């Protein structure tokens, strides 16, 4: 007989006095004081020596010599400090922000040059502890820190290659407040929700802006991509307000994402055993285009499923983790709570399995360059300390294999003709309606499946460049660099703006101007001169305000004599002003513009009309 609780809200831990082998278990529901309860009957036998022998043979004897135990916040900080002291040349500890209780959210960087983004080196991240009571991911990342440090020192070629060619970020606890609450109850007495949310009651995974719905609404109005981008979608203003319902941990994570050019990442969770990939948001049926292609057969039961443009590469990334896991793809397992949604593959699209808006995965995909997935490590959210060694063996190869996928696809550098890097240039891959941007050093990475791709690089003020890039099956991104030449579109837009965004009339040589055309020309020149004078006055006022009250007041006189009825003869050179102040602080340009027969700008050569007079305008470029 095992005695239960005296009230329905207090769980009770009951242990067998001696180890037993369960031969028969029967569970059936009953009622107690008007409440539902379960009765458990166990028919067991004493543990025999034969059973003990086989149990010892099946125990995992890891040779990694790691710290297999649950770590409190203080223990976690101490362990990270020890790893940093053992491997100071490849590790760095920093924090990405604080929790609502003021606990720091620590991160460990592992790289051959910690603290600095190296041009051409991709950045990878693992995060855990979004839900404080899902603790296995937290312990796996602490074990991964120790493993990478020890194996790097021992000369493991695979680990050394991974560390020297990748900048790795590991954040074991994004919700330290929730973990401290769940840890007080422990592995046996904790429940499904204790510590799941933050101190303020937020579910961190679903607390990000819903950018997918904004993208689909823009697609309905046919605004993508000429007016609404298909990548790096800005965060809504109402979400950034001080009184917005956003957790402080979420704000810290978003700032961290914007600061580092992550390429690939995964968040480790619990309560299920599978890998989930975007979209996590289900598209409303009313917004689904009528001409959209029918989904595959296995998705026909869910008409709201919306695949990302990178659906194929997301599936590959998910399979790379699930297939290397020791138990995730077992066909006889089934789901933890319902039927197996993965078709025995261990992977599923989030919207098909558990639709939700504003997930961390969708936000990362639509707001940054990073492809983010969710890895659910097991049905038990808080496994016992004795199980950690086996769980490490189950996930060790998967953790390494998934990190190596960051080196799949293409990479390169975008520069101008002088070799200077171009930041925020757009990389467009033909056939994939999702672009990325270059980092501050002009470097980029694009994870792609093997194949041949038409890739173009575009930047404001430059002519686009197009190349054919091949991706091979072996790990190792294909180098695909771009050199962009400057374009004159910026100058053309300025000229069109001065002309009221109307086409500039071309003067046909040999044909005299009519009085009407001459009057229109004079009016246009007057309007242009007024614009020039307004620009000059604004710049002079700005200069006066910057230099102080002693600066001379601006004058309204033009830099040269101008009259709508009196014009200089051909032999007379137009008077020139000293200088015209420009928007750039260092460059001062004086340019002669002659209304000539082809209206060429900046030639400095006067080409007469068929009449005996010409119109000369002096303005700054």
């Amino acid at each position: 007989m095992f005695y239960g609780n005296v009230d329905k809200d207090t769980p009770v831990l009951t242990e067998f006095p001696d180890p037993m082998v369960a031969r028969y278990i029967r569970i059936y529901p009953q009622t107690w004081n008007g409440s539902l309860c379960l009765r458990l009957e166990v028919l067991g036998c004493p543990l025999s020596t034969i059973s003990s022998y086989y149990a010892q043979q099946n125990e995992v004897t890891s040779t990694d010599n790691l710290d297999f135990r649950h770590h409190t916040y203080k223990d976690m900080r101490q362990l990270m400090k020890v790893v940093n002291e053992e491997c100071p040349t490849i590790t760095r500890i920093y924090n990405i922000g604080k929790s609502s209780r003021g606990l720091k959210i620590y991160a460990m960087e592992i790289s051959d040059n910690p603290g600095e983004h190296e041009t051409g080196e991709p950045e990878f991240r693992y995060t855990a502890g979004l839900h404080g009571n899902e603790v296995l991911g937290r312990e796996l990342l602490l074990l991964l820190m120790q493993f990478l440090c020890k194996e790097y020192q021992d000369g493991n070629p695979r680990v050394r290659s991974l560390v020297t060619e990748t900048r790795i970020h590991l954040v074991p606890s994004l919700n330290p407040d929730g973990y401290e609450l769940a840890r007080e109850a422990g592995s046996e007495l904790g429940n499904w929700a204790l510590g799941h949310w933050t101190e303020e009651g937020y579910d961190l995974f679903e607390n990000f802006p819903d950018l997918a719905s904004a993208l689909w609404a823009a697609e309905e109005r046919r605004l993508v991509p000429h007016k609404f981008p298909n990548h790096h979608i800005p965060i809504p203003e109402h979400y950034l307000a001080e009184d917005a319902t956003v957790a402080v941990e979420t704000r810290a994570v978003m700032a961290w994402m914007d600061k580092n050019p992550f390429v690939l990442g995964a968040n480790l969770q619990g309560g299920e055993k599978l890998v989930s990939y975007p979209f996590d948001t289900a598209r409303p049926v009313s917004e689904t285009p009528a001409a959209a292609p029918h989904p595959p057969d296995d998705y026909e039961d869910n008409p709201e499923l919306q695949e990302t443009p990178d659906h194929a590469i997301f599936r590959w990334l998910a399979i790379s983790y699930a297939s290397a896991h020791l138990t995730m793809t077992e066909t006889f397992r089934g789901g933890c709570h319902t039927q197996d949604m993965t078709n025995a593959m261990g992977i599923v699209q989030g919207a098909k399995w558990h639709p939700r808006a504003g997930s961390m995965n969708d936000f990362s995909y639509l707001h940054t360059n990073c492809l983010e997935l969710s890895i659910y490590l097991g049905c038990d959210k808080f496994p016992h300390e004795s199980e950690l060694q086996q769980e490490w063996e189950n996930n060790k190869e998967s953790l390494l294999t998934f990190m190596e996928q960051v080196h799949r696809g293409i990479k390169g550098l975008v520069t101008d003709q002088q070799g200077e890097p171009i930041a925020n240039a757009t990389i467009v891959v033909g056939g994939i309606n999702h672009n990325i941007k270059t980092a501050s050093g002009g470097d980029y990475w694009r994870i792609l499946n093997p194949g041949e791709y038409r890739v173009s690089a575009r930047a404001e003020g430059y002519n686009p460049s197009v190349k054919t890039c091949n991706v091979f099956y072996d790990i190792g991104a294909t180098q695909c660099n771009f050199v962009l030449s400057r374009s004159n579109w910026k100058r053309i837009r300025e000229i069109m703006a001065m002309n009221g965004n109307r086409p500039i009339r071309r003067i046909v040589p040999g044909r005299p101007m009519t009085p009407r055309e001459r009057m229109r020309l004079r009016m246009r020149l007057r309007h242009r001169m007024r614009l020039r004078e307004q620009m000059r006055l604004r710049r002079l006022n700005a200069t006066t305000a910057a230099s102080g009250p002693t600066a001379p007041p601006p004058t309204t006189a033009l830099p040269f004599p101008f009259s709508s009825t009196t014009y200089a003869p051909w032999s007379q050179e137009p008077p020139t002003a000293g200088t015209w102040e420009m928007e750039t602080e260092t460059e001062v340009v004086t340019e002669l513009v002659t209304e000539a027969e082809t209206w060429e700008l900046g030639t400095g050569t006067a080409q007469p009309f068929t009449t005996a007079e010409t119109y000369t305008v002096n303005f700054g470029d």
Side-chain angles (χ1 to χ4, degrees):
M1 294 290 296
F2 299 100
Y3 292 95
N5 51 1
V6 295
D7 64 278
K8 60 182 180 180
D9 297 322
T10 303
V12 174
L13 173 64
T14 305
E15 297 180 344
F16 288 93
D18 298 310
M20 303 289 288
V21 178
R23 299 298 185 190
Y24 180 77
I25 300 176
R26 180 170 61 189
I27 304 175
Y28 57 94
Q30 288 187 336
T31 59
W32 175 71
N33 288 349
S35 299
L36 293 176
C37 68
L38 293 176
R39 177 182 177 87
L40 170 66
E41 296 179 355
V42 180
L43 172 63
C45 304
L47 197 63
S48 65
T49 56
I50 295 297
S51 299
S52 300
Y53 170 77
Y54 282 111
Q56 293 174 1
Q57 294 299 311
N58 292 330
E59 285 183 0
V60 177
T61 56
S62 177
T63 59
D64 296 334
N65 191 25
L66 307 178
D67 186 9
F68 295 101
R69 63 187 177 93
H70 287 294
H71 295 78
T72 65
Y73 180 81
K74 183 178 179 181
D75 294 337
M76 177 190 72
R77 186 172 55 185
Q78 180 63 27
L79 185 144
M80 296 175 69
K81 182 179 178 182
V82 170
V83 173
N84 177 245
E85 292 174 350
E86 291 181 356
C87 300
T89 60
I90 63 169
T91 61
R92 179 178 71 100
I93 301 174
Y94 67 99
N95 72 83
I96 66 175
K98 291 184 179 181
S99 68
S100 56
R101 281 188 177 181
L103 299 179
K104 292 183 179 180
I105 304 175
Y106 286 105
M108 169 76 77
E109 177 190 342
I110 302 178
S111 173
D112 60 338
N113 191 14
E116 181 180 344
H117 170 73
E118 298 182 55
T119 303
E121 184 173 280
E123 304 211 14
F124 177 91
R125 69 170 181 250
Y126 270 135
T127 58
L130 280 163
H131 305 134
N133 61 339
E134 298 170 1
V135 303
L136 181 55
R138 171 195 183 101
E139 300 305 328
L140 287 180
L141 292 190
L142 294 177
L143 292 169
L144 183 60
M145 295 176 192
Q146 304 171 62
F147 175 80
L148 293 176
C149 173
K150 293 179 182 295
E151 294 299 310
Y152 184 88
Q153 289 181 327
D154 293 342
N156 185 325
R158 183 184 186 188
V159 172
R160 278 189 167 269
S161 175
L162 196 58
V163 171
T164 56
E165 297 177 4
T166 317
R167 191 183 184 197
I168 305 169
H169 301 257
L170 306 177
V171 183
S173 184
L174 285 175
N175 183 8
D177 298 346
Y179 174 79
E180 292 302 306
L181 185 62
R183 183 187 62 83
E184 294 176 0
S187 174
E188 291 83 7
L189 302 183
N191 59 46
W192 193 257
L194 185 64
H196 182 89
W197 296 279
T198 66
E199 178 71 14
E200 298 172 313
Y202 294 105
D203 185 330
L204 287 184
F205 184 70
E206 304 177 27
N207 193 227
F208 292 82
D210 180 15
L211 302 182
S213 297
L215 174 64
W216 297 333
E219 288 179 350
E220 288 291 325
R221 297 193 297 269
R222 298 184 179 181
L223 303 178
V224 180
H226 59 284
K227 290 187 178 180
F228 194 93
N230 65 7
H231 64 104
H232 288 79
I233 300 176
I235 301 175
E237 294 184 3
H238 67 83
Y239 192 88
L240 299 175
E242 291 293 333
D243 57 346
T245 56
V246 183
V248 294
E249 296 89 347
T250 306
R251 294 182 188 272
V253 172
M254 291 193 299
W256 181 54
M257 289 181 178
D258 288 333
K259 184 178 179 181
N260 299 279
F262 292 113
V263 181
L264 179 63
N267 51 84
L268 308 183
Q269 301 188 45
E272 189 54 84
K273 187 178 286 187
L274 52 84
V275 180
S276 170
Y277 55 90
F279 283 121
D280 293 319
T281 307
R283 183 168 185 168
V285 179
S286 58
E287 295 184 6
T288 304
H294 294 289
D297 294 339
D298 56 336
Y299 294 146
E300 284 184 353
D301 57 339
N302 190 354
E304 300 179 0
L305 200 66
Q306 177 75 17
E307 297 177 353
T308 67
D310 288 283
H311 181 75
I313 190 61
F314 268 124
R315 285 179 58 85
W316 169 263
L317 294 172
I319 288 175
S320 69
Y321 191 98
S323 62
H325 194 279
L326 296 187
T327 62
M328 192 170 285
T329 56
E330 291 177 346
T331 57
F332 58 83
R333 176 180 58 83
C336 293
H337 311 287
T338 59
Q339 73 276 12
D340 182 18
M341 296 289 295
T342 70
N343 294 328
M345 296 184 65
I347 68 170
V348 67
Q349 184 177 346
K352 178 183 179 182
W353 168 55
H354 187 187
R356 45 195 162 179
S359 72
M360 181 177 177
N361 297 347
D362 290 357
F363 173 79
S364 177
Y365 179 66
L366 294 176
H367 182 67
T368 72
N369 290 341
C370 184
L371 305 183
E372 179 93 4
L373 294 85
S374 293
I375 300 173
Y376 293 81
L377 299 167
C379 302
D380 190 355
K381 289 187 173 184
F382 204 136
H384 194 270
E385 198 168 86
S386 60
E387 303 175 50
L388 294 180
Q389 194 169 349
Q390 178 64 61
E391 292 295 345
W392 167 249
E393 296 298 329
N394 289 343
N395 289 274
K396 178 174 66 174
E397 178 62 28
S398 297
L399 291 169
L400 297 176
T401 300
F402 186 78
M403 280 194 291
E404 291 171 337
Q405 304 309 307
V406 76
H407 297 284
R408 183 178 297 279
I410 61 175
K411 65 178 181 180
L413 191 66
V414 180
T415 60
D416 59 15
Q417 292 178 316
Q418 287 72 39
E420 295 296 325
I422 302 176
N424 292 323
T426 302
I427 304 298
V428 182
V429 179
I432 301 179
N433 188 26
H434 182 78
N435 307 332
I436 64 169
K437 288 188 176 181
T438 58
S440 58
D443 45 351
Y444 77 92
W445 307 264
R446 186 66 164 95
I447 301 179
L448 297 169
N449 280 327
E452 183 178 279
Y453 298 90
R454 193 71 169 168
V455 184
S456 64
R458 303 171 183 174
E460 183 70 23
Y462 295 88
N463 294 316
S465 176
V466 183
K467 282 187 177 181
T468 299
C469 304
N470 293 294
V471 179
F472 305 100
Y473 286 90
D474 297 334
I475 289 290
T478 302
Q479 193 78 22
C480 201
N481 298 326
F482 294 89
V483 178
L484 305 185
S485 60
R486 291 190 175 274
S487 69
N488 57 352
W489 275 107
K490 182 178 180 181
R491 178 61 183 148
I492 293 175
R493 292 191 185 98
E494 292 177 355
I495 297 173
M496 292 181 64
M498 289 187 299
N499 200 51
N501 288 326
R502 295 190 303 270
I504 300 176
R505 178 179 174 276
R506 181 176 182 272
I507 303 299
V508 180
R511 185 177 67 84
M513 296 178 64
T514 63
R516 185 183 183 89
E517 291 175 340
R518 185 175 303 173
M519 180 171 292
R520 286 181 177 177
L521 179 60
R522 291 176 180 175
M523 294 176 61
R524 190 176 303 144
L525 289 177
R526 292 175 185 173
H527 177 67
R528 187 174 297 183
M529 287 305 303
R530 284 194 295 268
L531 292 178
R532 296 277 179 265
E533 181 63 14
Q534 292 174 5
M535 292 172 59
R536 190 182 70 85
L537 290 177
R538 283 197 295 267
R539 290 165 182 162
L540 287 177
N541 290 333
T543 306
T544 302
S547 60
T550 58
T555 178
T556 58
L558 294 177
F560 61 90
F562 178 81
S563 173
S564 61
T565 57
T566 305
Y567 307 99
W570 291 113
S571 59
Q572 180 179 339
E573 291 293 331
T576 58
T579 56
W580 277 69
E581 293 184 8
M582 308 304 298
E583 292 181 358
T584 55
E585 298 179 357
T586 58
E587 183 181 5
V588 178
V589 179
T590 300
E591 181 181 359
L592 296 180
V593 177
T594 303
E595 307 295 339
E597 65 177 21
T598 59
W599 291 67
E600 294 183 359
L601 300 177
T603 59
T605 304
Q607 300 182 11
F609 297 140
T610 54
T611 58
E613 52 191 24
T614 186
Y615 308 96
T616 303
V617 181
N618 188 341
F619 64 94
D621 187 2

